[in-house]
Amino acid sequence: MNTSKHFGLALAAVLLLACVPAFAGASVVDKLTTLFIYMLLATTWNLMAGYAGLVSVGQQAFFGLGGYFALRLVDGGLPAYPALLAGALGAALLAWVMSFYVLRLKDGEFAIGTWVVAEVIRILVMLDPLIQGETGTSLIALNAVEPELRRSVGYWFALAALAGMALAMAVLLRSHVGTAAKAIGDDDAAAASLGVRVLRTRQAIYVLAAFGAALAGVAWLASAITFLPRTNFGVQWSVLMLFMVLVGGLRSGPGPYIGALLLFALQELMGDFGAWYLAGLGAAAAGCALFLPQGLWGALSPHLSRLVTRPLVSPVSTPQERTAP
């Protein structure tokens, strides 16, 4: 199937999903909004770790910063919904500044360093009188919007963010930056020896992934309205990203979406069981690590390829073939 057909199917799916609030109940809309946020987080983390070799444990910094900047902008007089997008852009701008420092760290140092930076940012945000420490605050401006409309707009915002980020990543991965990122993910030293600009390429990937995490953060804020530093800057977001990508399939297109769907299903089925839900996540991750090292998509794709290429009608044998011994 060529690229134009893929794009046409994706566009049709987005348009169909955009119609969901017109006929679905509030519960369905809220659950799908959460699923879109999970998918957005998973795909952007996969972009970093799978293609550029940047295993971050600090993406929650941008998830929380997007919401924090939006709150600050609304407090300064900007309307709520434009502030959400501006907050995500502000987080991406800060990520660009941070990239000159954190991208000089290697492997495990980078992973730990990003987590430390995220914790420092959380503490600094809590010192802001607007946030009120652990108490947190709310995006009160959204309370003026009728609840059903607010729910629908939050849904459309999350869907548009996911679709836009998926398109941006597809374009990037087909460009020279994507080719360089794949080379860096395989071996950054070898890529550098061939003339690849490692730092600049990783900066582009890092900033785009940070923007995606910030979009997820403001979509979450638009849905939940409340902003709690422990929640919005919680390391659980990075843990969930890692789970979704590793279970779904690292460095694959559909893998993160499959991982997000599995996480969502486990939450729906086992979310009320407390510790058993966490045990279910751990068991699923351990099972994939042991038996499916390439994730669910890595295990399914060969079978799907055979189904697609298998002829629908068996070839008719010639008379010579029928009489052959």
Side-chain angles (χ1 to χ4, degrees), residues 142-155:
L142 288 182
N143 288 331
V145 182
E146 193 271 327
E148 185 175 348
L149 176 61
R150 184 176 68 227
R151 180 178 291 108
S152 297
V153 173
Y155 172 90

Side-chain angles (χ1 to χ4, degrees), residues 14-201:
V14 171
L15 292 176
L16 180 62
L17 287 169
C19 298
V20 167
F23 57 83
S27 177
V28 173
V29 173
D30 287 339
K31 291 180 186 299
L32 285 177
T33 302
T34 301
L35 178 60
F36 295 155
I37 291 170
Y38 286 169
M39 287 181 170
L40 183 54
L41 290 171
T43 54
T44 53
W45 196 87
N46 180 56
L47 176 68
M48 275 203 318
Y51 292 99
L54 296 171
V55 180
S56 172
V57 193
Q59 288 303 96
Q60 66 272 16
F62 306 111
F63 185 93
L65 276 172
Y68 170 69
F69 286 154
L71 286 166
R72 264 284 156 213
L73 290 169
V74 169
D75 187 64
L78 193 66
Y81 288 111
L84 293 174
L85 181 58
L89 289 170
L93 178 60
L94 182 59
W96 176 74
V97 175
M98 291 169 52
S99 68
F100 289 96
Y101 304 96
V102 297
L103 292 181
R104 300 186 184 278
L105 303 174
K106 300 294 183 181
D107 303 327
E109 292 178 350
F110 176 80
I112 299 301
T114 53
W115 174 72
V116 172
V117 169
E119 285 298 293
V120 170
I121 291 173
R122 179 183 65 82
I123 292 170
L124 291 175
V125 168
M126 288 171 56
L127 295 176
D128 187 340
L130 177 67
I131 304 303
Q132 306 176 65
E134 291 286 357
T135 305
T137 186
S138 299
L139 189 54
I140 301 173
L142 288 182
N143 288 331
V145 182
E146 193 271 327
E148 185 175 348
L149 176 61
R150 184 176 68 227
R151 180 178 291 108
S152 297
V153 173
Y155 172 90
W156 290 323
F157 185 94
L159 176 61
L162 175 61
M165 188 56 60
L167 178 61
M169 288 191 297
V171 171
L172 183 140
L173 290 175
R174 284 171 172 76
S175 68
H176 70 280
V177 176
T179 303
K182 293 172 186 176
I184 293 168
D186 292 331
D187 189 329
D188 57 349
S193 68
L194 294 174
V196 174
R197 303 176 71 178
V198 175
L199 181 60
R200 289 292 180 88
T201 302

